[in-house]
Amino acid sequence: MSSSFPLLEDLIRRAQAAFLGLAIGDALGATTEFLTPSEIRFRHKIHRRMIGGGWLNLKPGKVTDDTEMSLCIARAIDEAGGWNLRDIAEHFAGWLRSKPIDVGATCRRGISDFIVKGQLEKPYSDWDAGNGAAMRMLPVALFTLGDEDLLERYTLEQAHLTHNHHLSDAGCLAVGKLVHQALLGVKLPQLHTIVRDLGSQQPKFRCNHYRGEASAYVVETLQTVFHYFFSTGNFEECLIGVVNQGGDADTTGAIAGMIAGAFYAGEPMPRQWLKKLDPTIKAEGMILAERLVRLSPLGRKLLEC
C-alpha cells in the first residue's frame, strides 16, 4: 500500500498544477487576446504580468470560458461520481444561461441546440474546426488517466456537444494524450512523439516551421502551443511566449498552461501569477483536480493496492 500512495500523491500534485496552469494561462492570455505581436510589444513590451484588461476589460486574475467550461465538465463528473454526457451538457446549459462574460459562437450554438432540442451530438460541420473543444480537455484527461480507450471515447463525446470536425477531434485527443503523459512524468522526447504522430495522421498540424499564427483555428492554436512548449525551458517561459503571440491568447494560454503545468509540476509557478489568480477558481480547481484523479482508472487502482 505504501508504495502506491507516493505515486498517487504525485499524480494529484501534477493534476492540481495542470488546473492552475490552465487558469493562469487563460487569465494571462485574456489581456492580449485578439492583439497582434507588434501591438502587444507596443502596449506591454513583453506581457508577463497578470493585469487583466484586454477586450473583455477583466479584473486581474479573472478567467474566461476556457476555465469556466472546464470547470463545468469537472463539476459534472464529480457530482455524478462518473461520466454522464447529459449532466455535462446540463452544466454547459446552466453556464450559458448565467450570461458568461465570454462564449465562442460555435460553443453557443452547440449548447443552444442542447437546450432547445436536447441534442447531445452536433452533426459534422466544416465550420467546427475551432479550438473550443480542445480548451476544455483537462478534466477529461484527469478522469480517464490510465485508460486510453476511455480518453478517446469521452474526448469525442464532449467535443461533439459543440464541435464535430476531424481536426478538432484529432487536436483534442492529442491534448488529452499530452496531459496524460505529462501527469505520468515522462520526458520531452516522449511528448514530442505524440505531436509527431498527430502530424503524421493529420498533416495540417505539422509545425516544423512555425508561422506565428495563433487564431482560434485548432491547427494554429495547437501549433502555437507546441512551438512554445517544446522551445522553452520552464512553465513561465512557455506561457509568456504563447500569450505574447496574441490571437486567441486566452485559449492558447489555457492549453499550454494545462500541459506545462503538469509537466513542470515540480517547479514553483511565478508567485505573482498565483497571488493574482481568482482565489475561488484556484481553490475549486485544486479540489476538483484531486477528486478527478481519485475517480480515474489509475487513481482507483492505486487506492486499491
Side-chain angles (χ1 to χ4, degrees), residues 15 18 137-138 141-142 145 173-185 191 194 255 258-259 262-263:
M137 273 301 300
L138 179 59
L142 297 182
L145 186 61
L173 286 167
V175 170
K177 291 175 182 177
L178 285 166
V179 172
H180 270 193
Q181 294 303 304
L183 290 168
L184 295 172
L191 295 180
I194 296 170
I255 297 173
M258 69 176 81
I259 299 169
F263 184 77

Side-chain angles (χ1 to χ4, degrees), residues 100-282:
I101 193 169
D102 186 29
V103 53
T106 307
C107 287
R108 183 186 294 277
R109 284 194 299 270
I111 299 169
S112 297
D113 283 343
F114 167 73
I115 293 172
V116 174
K117 300 183 289 187
Q119 179 177 281
L120 288 172
E121 181 175 7
K122 282 191 66 182
Y124 184 90
S125 172
D126 288 335
W127 300 100
D128 283 2
N131 57 22
M135 71 186 189
R136 56 187 196 239
M137 273 301 300
L138 179 59
V140 184
L142 297 182
F143 177 66
T144 60
L145 186 61
D147 192 324
E148 291 289 322
D149 291 334
L150 278 185
L151 173 66
E152 181 169 357
R153 174 184 164 189
Y154 294 158
T155 290
L156 299 183
E157 284 189 8
Q158 76 85 17
H160 292 176
L161 282 169
T162 57
H163 292 68
N164 192 340
H165 190 281
H166 64 279
L167 292 176
S168 170
D169 292 350
C172 287
L173 286 167
V175 170
K177 291 175 182 177
L178 285 166
V179 172
H180 270 193
Q181 294 303 304
L183 290 168
L184 295 172
V186 305
K187 303 299 183 184
L188 274 177
Q190 292 169 270
L191 295 180
H192 204 270
T193 298
I194 296 170
V195 176
R196 288 200 304 271
D197 289 345
L198 173 63
S200 297
Q201 296 162 11
Q202 298 290 344
K204 289 187 177 181
F205 281 100
R206 291 176 181 167
C207 49
N208 299 45
H209 304 288
Y210 177 57
R211 296 189 298 274
E213 301 295 334
S215 73
Y217 176 39
V218 68
V219 171
E220 293 178 353
T221 294
L222 293 189
Q223 285 176 337
T224 298
V225 170
F226 298 157
H227 173 76
Y228 285 102
F229 177 71
F230 289 106
S231 65
T232 55
N234 58 52
F235 177 83
E236 183 177 10
E237 288 178 2
C238 175
L239 262 64
I240 289 173
V242 165
V243 301
N244 278 274
Q245 203 59 43
D248 201 11
D250 60 332
T251 298
T252 55
I255 297 173
M258 69 176 81
I259 299 169
F263 184 77
Y264 293 111
E267 303 173 14
M269 292 179 174
R271 185 176 302 175
Q272 188 265 350
W273 292 354
L274 287 170
K275 184 178 179 181
K276 290 285 187 181
L277 185 63
D278 184 327
T280 303
I281 296 293
K282 180 164 51 177

Side-chain angles (χ1 to χ4, degrees), residues 1-16 142 145-146 179-186 262 265 289-290 292-294 296-305:
M1 182 180 291
S2 60
S3 63
S4 297
F5 284 126
L7 176 55
L8 180 61
E9 291 169 2
D10 184 62
L11 289 174
I12 290 170
R13 178 177 59 85
R14 288 182 177 274
Q16 291 174 329
L142 297 182
L145 186 61
V179 172
H180 270 193
Q181 294 303 304
L183 290 168
L184 295 172
V186 305
E290 177 173 357
L292 294 184
V293 169
R294 290 180 179 276
S296 72
L298 181 56
R300 292 197 307 270
K301 181 179 179 180
L302 292 173
L303 284 168
E304 290 170 0
C305 291

